[in-house]
Short mmCIF file of all heavy atoms in Angstrom, two decimals:
data_model
loop_
_atom_site.label_atom_id
_atom_site.label_comp_id
_atom_site.label_asym_id
_atom_site.label_seq_id
_atom_site.Cartn_x
_atom_site.Cartn_y
_atom_site.Cartn_z
N ASP A 1 83.67 108.58 107.35
CA ASP A 1 84.93 109.34 107.26
C ASP A 1 86.10 108.44 106.87
O ASP A 1 86.96 108.79 105.95
CB ASP A 1 85.24 110.09 108.53
CG ASP A 1 84.17 111.19 108.84
OD1 ASP A 1 83.56 111.56 107.84
OD2 ASP A 1 83.94 111.55 110.02
N HIS A 2 86.10 107.26 107.61
CA HIS A 2 87.21 106.28 107.34
C HIS A 2 87.23 105.80 105.86
O HIS A 2 88.24 105.75 105.20
CB HIS A 2 87.12 105.12 108.23
CG HIS A 2 88.13 104.08 107.99
ND1 HIS A 2 89.34 104.02 108.57
CD2 HIS A 2 88.04 102.94 107.14
CE1 HIS A 2 89.95 102.94 108.14
NE2 HIS A 2 89.20 102.29 107.32
N HIS A 3 86.02 105.54 105.33
CA HIS A 3 85.88 105.03 103.98
C HIS A 3 86.30 106.08 102.97
O HIS A 3 87.09 105.78 102.07
CB HIS A 3 84.47 104.59 103.77
CG HIS A 3 84.31 103.74 102.51
ND1 HIS A 3 84.50 102.48 102.39
CD2 HIS A 3 83.98 104.18 101.29
CE1 HIS A 3 84.35 102.03 101.12
NE2 HIS A 3 84.06 103.09 100.42
N ALA A 4 85.86 107.26 103.12
CA ALA A 4 86.10 108.29 102.24
C ALA A 4 87.68 108.59 102.15
O ALA A 4 88.19 108.78 101.12
CB ALA A 4 85.35 109.64 102.59
N LYS A 5 88.28 108.54 103.26
CA LYS A 5 89.73 108.82 103.39
C LYS A 5 90.56 107.64 102.87
O LYS A 5 91.55 107.84 102.14
CB LYS A 5 90.09 109.04 104.77
CG LYS A 5 91.61 109.35 104.94
CD LYS A 5 91.95 109.54 106.53
CE LYS A 5 93.44 109.74 106.74
NZ LYS A 5 93.74 110.04 108.19
N THR A 6 90.03 106.40 103.05
CA THR A 6 90.84 105.24 102.73
C THR A 6 90.55 104.68 101.37
O THR A 6 91.44 104.30 100.64
CB THR A 6 90.62 104.10 103.80
OG1 THR A 6 90.79 104.69 105.06
CG2 THR A 6 91.62 102.90 103.55
N TYR A 7 89.24 104.65 101.00
CA TYR A 7 88.91 103.95 99.78
C TYR A 7 88.31 104.99 98.69
O TYR A 7 88.22 104.59 97.58
CB TYR A 7 87.91 102.85 100.08
CG TYR A 7 88.35 101.83 101.07
CD1 TYR A 7 87.86 101.80 102.41
CD2 TYR A 7 89.40 100.96 100.73
CE1 TYR A 7 88.35 100.96 103.29
CE2 TYR A 7 89.88 100.00 101.64
CZ TYR A 7 89.34 100.01 102.96
OH TYR A 7 89.79 99.15 103.86
N GLY A 8 87.72 106.06 99.16
CA GLY A 8 86.99 107.01 98.28
C GLY A 8 85.61 107.24 98.61
O GLY A 8 85.08 106.58 99.57
N HIS A 9 84.94 108.16 98.00
CA HIS A 9 83.59 108.48 98.22
C HIS A 9 82.77 107.29 97.99
O HIS A 9 82.92 106.57 96.98
CB HIS A 9 83.18 109.73 97.43
CG HIS A 9 81.81 110.23 97.79
ND1 HIS A 9 80.66 109.84 97.32
CD2 HIS A 9 81.57 111.30 98.73
CE1 HIS A 9 79.70 110.50 97.85
NE2 HIS A 9 80.15 111.42 98.74
N PRO A 10 81.72 107.06 98.74
CA PRO A 10 80.82 105.86 98.61
C PRO A 10 79.98 105.91 97.28
O PRO A 10 79.40 104.88 96.89
CB PRO A 10 79.92 105.80 99.75
CG PRO A 10 80.04 107.20 100.35
CD PRO A 10 81.36 107.72 100.09
N ALA A 11 79.92 106.98 96.62
CA ALA A 11 79.32 107.02 95.26
C ALA A 11 80.26 106.38 94.22
O ALA A 11 79.77 105.89 93.24
CB ALA A 11 78.94 108.43 94.84
N ASP A 12 81.48 106.46 94.51
CA ASP A 12 82.58 105.95 93.61
C ASP A 12 83.07 104.56 94.00
O ASP A 12 83.25 103.70 93.20
CB ASP A 12 83.77 106.84 93.63
CG ASP A 12 83.44 108.27 93.25
OD1 ASP A 12 82.54 108.50 92.42
OD2 ASP A 12 84.06 109.21 93.89
N THR A 13 83.23 104.37 95.25
CA THR A 13 83.72 103.04 95.82
C THR A 13 82.74 102.60 96.96
O THR A 13 82.74 102.98 97.98
CB THR A 13 85.17 103.23 96.39
OG1 THR A 13 85.93 103.86 95.51
CG2 THR A 13 85.68 101.85 96.80
N GLY A 14 81.91 101.68 96.50
CA GLY A 14 80.91 101.15 97.41
C GLY A 14 81.37 99.97 98.14
O GLY A 14 82.50 99.44 98.03
N PHE A 15 80.51 99.38 99.01
CA PHE A 15 81.04 98.26 99.83
C PHE A 15 81.28 96.96 99.03
O PHE A 15 82.01 96.11 99.39
CB PHE A 15 79.95 97.93 100.95
CG PHE A 15 80.51 96.96 101.97
CD1 PHE A 15 81.52 97.32 102.82
CD2 PHE A 15 80.18 95.61 101.91
CE1 PHE A 15 82.15 96.41 103.71
CE2 PHE A 15 80.76 94.68 102.76
CZ PHE A 15 81.70 95.08 103.75
N MET A 16 80.60 96.89 97.83
CA MET A 16 80.89 95.74 96.97
C MET A 16 82.42 95.61 96.76
O MET A 16 82.97 94.51 96.48
CB MET A 16 80.12 95.74 95.67
CG MET A 16 80.26 97.02 94.88
SD MET A 16 79.20 96.95 93.40
CE MET A 16 80.20 95.87 92.32
N GLU A 17 83.05 96.72 96.64
CA GLU A 17 84.49 96.75 96.39
C GLU A 17 85.26 96.18 97.60
O GLU A 17 86.28 95.49 97.48
CB GLU A 17 85.02 98.06 96.05
CG GLU A 17 84.25 98.70 94.80
CD GLU A 17 84.78 98.01 93.50
OE1 GLU A 17 85.77 97.30 93.46
OE2 GLU A 17 84.07 98.29 92.52
N ILE A 18 84.80 96.42 98.77
CA ILE A 18 85.40 95.94 99.97
C ILE A 18 85.19 94.43 100.06
O ILE A 18 86.03 93.63 100.52
CB ILE A 18 84.80 96.62 101.29
CG1 ILE A 18 84.85 98.14 101.15
CG2 ILE A 18 85.59 96.12 102.53
CD1 ILE A 18 86.22 98.66 100.86
N GLU A 19 84.00 93.97 99.61
CA GLU A 19 83.79 92.45 99.55
C GLU A 19 84.95 91.82 98.73
O GLU A 19 85.44 90.71 99.15
CB GLU A 19 82.43 92.11 98.92
CG GLU A 19 81.21 92.68 99.58
CD GLU A 19 80.76 91.94 100.81
OE1 GLU A 19 81.56 91.05 101.38
OE2 GLU A 19 79.66 92.17 101.26
N ASN A 20 85.31 92.40 97.74
CA ASN A 20 86.32 91.80 96.84
C ASN A 20 87.73 91.99 97.43
O ASN A 20 88.69 91.37 97.00
CB ASN A 20 86.33 92.36 95.47
CG ASN A 20 87.02 91.47 94.48
OD1 ASN A 20 86.83 90.23 94.47
ND2 ASN A 20 87.81 92.08 93.59
N LEU A 21 87.95 92.97 98.37
CA LEU A 21 89.22 93.05 99.00
C LEU A 21 89.44 92.13 100.15
O LEU A 21 90.60 92.02 100.68
CB LEU A 21 89.37 94.59 99.59
CG LEU A 21 89.40 95.71 98.55
CD1 LEU A 21 89.43 97.07 99.34
CD2 LEU A 21 90.58 95.55 97.68
N TRP A 22 88.38 91.38 100.58
CA TRP A 22 88.52 90.36 101.59
C TRP A 22 89.24 89.14 100.89
O TRP A 22 88.62 88.45 100.14
CB TRP A 22 87.21 90.02 102.15
CG TRP A 22 87.19 89.01 103.22
CD1 TRP A 22 88.16 88.76 104.14
CD2 TRP A 22 86.14 88.06 103.55
NE1 TRP A 22 87.80 87.76 104.97
CE2 TRP A 22 86.54 87.23 104.60
CE3 TRP A 22 84.86 87.83 102.95
CZ2 TRP A 22 85.79 86.27 105.11
CZ3 TRP A 22 84.06 86.79 103.50
CH2 TRP A 22 84.56 86.08 104.65
N LYS A 23 90.52 88.92 101.27
CA LYS A 23 91.27 87.84 100.66
C LYS A 23 91.52 86.63 101.57
O LYS A 23 91.89 85.67 101.13
CB LYS A 23 92.54 88.43 100.07
CG LYS A 23 92.35 89.51 99.05
CD LYS A 23 91.51 89.06 97.84
CE LYS A 23 91.44 90.19 96.84
NZ LYS A 23 90.59 89.81 95.66
N ALA A 24 91.50 86.88 102.89
CA ALA A 24 91.77 85.82 103.79
C ALA A 24 93.21 85.16 103.57
O ALA A 24 93.36 83.94 103.67
CB ALA A 24 90.75 84.73 103.77
N GLU A 25 94.16 85.96 103.12
CA GLU A 25 95.34 85.49 102.62
C GLU A 25 96.26 84.80 103.70
O GLU A 25 97.17 83.95 103.22
CB GLU A 25 96.16 86.56 101.93
CG GLU A 25 96.59 87.72 102.75
CD GLU A 25 95.60 88.89 102.82
OE1 GLU A 25 94.38 88.57 102.67
OE2 GLU A 25 95.98 89.95 103.17
N ASN A 26 96.12 85.15 104.92
CA ASN A 26 96.87 84.49 106.00
C ASN A 26 96.08 83.64 106.95
O ASN A 26 96.61 83.32 107.95
CB ASN A 26 97.61 85.61 106.71
CG ASN A 26 98.57 86.43 105.90
OD1 ASN A 26 99.34 85.79 105.18
ND2 ASN A 26 98.53 87.77 106.01
N TRP A 27 94.94 83.25 106.49
CA TRP A 27 94.10 82.43 107.34
C TRP A 27 94.62 81.06 107.53
O TRP A 27 94.87 80.39 106.62
CB TRP A 27 92.65 82.36 106.60
CG TRP A 27 91.58 81.67 107.36
CD1 TRP A 27 91.39 81.53 108.64
CD2 TRP A 27 90.62 80.83 106.72
NE1 TRP A 27 90.29 80.75 108.89
CE2 TRP A 27 89.83 80.33 107.72
CE3 TRP A 27 90.35 80.55 105.40
CZ2 TRP A 27 88.75 79.41 107.42
CZ3 TRP A 27 89.20 79.76 105.08
CH2 TRP A 27 88.36 79.17 106.13
N ASN A 28 94.72 80.58 108.78
CA ASN A 28 95.10 79.29 109.10
C ASN A 28 94.10 78.69 110.10
O ASN A 28 94.27 78.79 111.33
CB ASN A 28 96.47 79.30 109.77
CG ASN A 28 97.03 77.84 110.02
OD1 ASN A 28 96.32 77.01 110.20
ND2 ASN A 28 98.36 77.80 110.17
N PRO A 29 92.99 78.13 109.65
CA PRO A 29 91.95 77.65 110.54
C PRO A 29 92.42 76.58 111.45
O PRO A 29 91.86 76.45 112.62
CB PRO A 29 90.84 77.15 109.50
CG PRO A 29 91.61 76.88 108.30
CD PRO A 29 92.65 77.87 108.18
N ASP A 30 93.31 75.72 111.00
CA ASP A 30 93.83 74.69 111.92
C ASP A 30 94.51 75.30 113.19
O ASP A 30 94.28 74.84 114.32
CB ASP A 30 94.82 73.81 111.10
CG ASP A 30 94.07 72.96 110.09
OD1 ASP A 30 93.09 72.42 110.35
OD2 ASP A 30 94.61 72.93 108.98
N ALA A 31 95.38 76.28 112.96
CA ALA A 31 96.11 76.89 114.07
C ALA A 31 95.05 77.56 115.04
O ALA A 31 95.16 77.50 116.27
CB ALA A 31 97.12 77.87 113.58
N LEU A 32 94.07 78.23 114.42
CA LEU A 32 93.12 79.01 115.29
C LEU A 32 92.32 77.98 116.10
O LEU A 32 92.05 78.21 117.32
CB LEU A 32 92.22 79.92 114.44
CG LEU A 32 92.88 81.15 113.86
CD1 LEU A 32 91.95 81.81 112.80
CD2 LEU A 32 93.14 82.11 114.94
N LEU A 33 91.87 76.95 115.46
CA LEU A 33 91.03 75.93 116.15
C LEU A 33 91.75 75.17 117.17
O LEU A 33 91.20 74.75 118.19
CB LEU A 33 90.24 75.10 115.19
CG LEU A 33 89.16 75.84 114.45
CD1 LEU A 33 88.61 75.05 113.24
CD2 LEU A 33 87.97 76.15 115.40
N ASP A 34 93.03 74.95 116.95
CA ASP A 34 93.89 74.35 117.96
C ASP A 34 93.97 75.27 119.26
O ASP A 34 93.81 74.84 120.37
CB ASP A 34 95.27 74.07 117.49
CG ASP A 34 95.43 72.93 116.57
OD1 ASP A 34 94.48 72.08 116.58
OD2 ASP A 34 96.46 72.83 115.81
N LEU A 35 94.11 76.51 118.98
CA LEU A 35 94.12 77.58 120.08
C LEU A 35 92.84 77.59 120.79
O LEU A 35 92.72 77.64 122.04
CB LEU A 35 94.40 78.96 119.51
CG LEU A 35 94.42 80.07 120.45
CD1 LEU A 35 95.70 80.03 121.43
CD2 LEU A 35 94.47 81.42 119.65
N TYR A 36 91.73 77.49 120.09
CA TYR A 36 90.39 77.63 120.68
C TYR A 36 89.98 76.39 121.45
O TYR A 36 89.41 76.46 122.56
CB TYR A 36 89.34 77.94 119.66
CG TYR A 36 89.48 79.27 118.86
CD1 TYR A 36 88.79 79.59 117.68
CD2 TYR A 36 90.33 80.20 119.38
CE1 TYR A 36 88.97 80.75 117.07
CE2 TYR A 36 90.48 81.45 118.73
CZ TYR A 36 89.80 81.70 117.54
OH TYR A 36 89.93 82.81 116.97
N LYS A 37 90.39 75.22 120.96
CA LYS A 37 90.11 74.05 121.72
C LYS A 37 90.89 73.97 122.96
O LYS A 37 90.42 73.55 124.03
CB LYS A 37 90.46 72.70 120.81
CG LYS A 37 90.09 71.48 121.52
CD LYS A 37 90.19 70.26 120.66
CE LYS A 37 89.79 69.02 121.46
NZ LYS A 37 89.90 67.75 120.64
N ALA A 38 92.18 74.36 122.96
CA ALA A 38 93.05 74.44 124.13
C ALA A 38 92.40 75.39 125.20
O ALA A 38 92.56 75.18 126.42
CB ALA A 38 94.39 74.92 123.74
N ALA A 39 91.65 76.40 124.77
CA ALA A 39 91.02 77.36 125.65
C ALA A 39 89.84 76.74 126.31
O ALA A 39 89.22 77.40 127.18
CB ALA A 39 90.66 78.64 124.95
N GLY A 40 89.33 75.62 125.91
CA GLY A 40 88.24 74.95 126.41
C GLY A 40 86.99 74.99 125.59
O GLY A 40 85.96 74.43 126.05
N ALA A 41 86.99 75.54 124.44
CA ALA A 41 85.79 75.55 123.57
C ALA A 41 85.39 74.10 123.26
O ALA A 41 86.27 73.28 122.87
CB ALA A 41 86.09 76.30 122.35
N ARG A 42 84.06 73.89 123.40
CA ARG A 42 83.50 72.63 123.03
C ARG A 42 82.70 72.73 121.72
O ARG A 42 82.30 71.71 121.18
CB ARG A 42 82.62 72.16 124.19
CG ARG A 42 83.28 71.82 125.49
CD ARG A 42 84.41 70.78 125.34
NE ARG A 42 84.77 70.30 126.59
CZ ARG A 42 85.87 70.64 127.29
NH1 ARG A 42 86.68 71.63 126.79
NH2 ARG A 42 86.24 70.08 128.48
#
């Protein structure tokens, strides 16, 4: 239901299109890993 409402029917807009919508445009791995290390992750 979410897909049909947001992206279209899966016969028209399949998951391969969602793969290409993944842009990671605000990803900051350094900041995330600083946070995770501070939390105790080894």
Side-chain angles (χ1 to χ4, degrees):
D1 295 336
H2 175 89
H3 191 84
K5 180 180 178 181
T6 309
Y7 304 106
H9 190 272
D12 304 325
T13 307
F15 191 73
M16 58 182 276
E17 300 292 342
I18 308 302
E19 300 281 15
N20 198 46
L21 293 179
W22 181 30
K23 301 301 184 185
E25 63 272 24
N26 296 315
W27 178 40
N28 186 337
D30 293 314
L32 287 172
L33 287 167
D34 284 343
L35 177 70
Y36 296 166
K37 183 173 182 179
R42 299 299 197 261

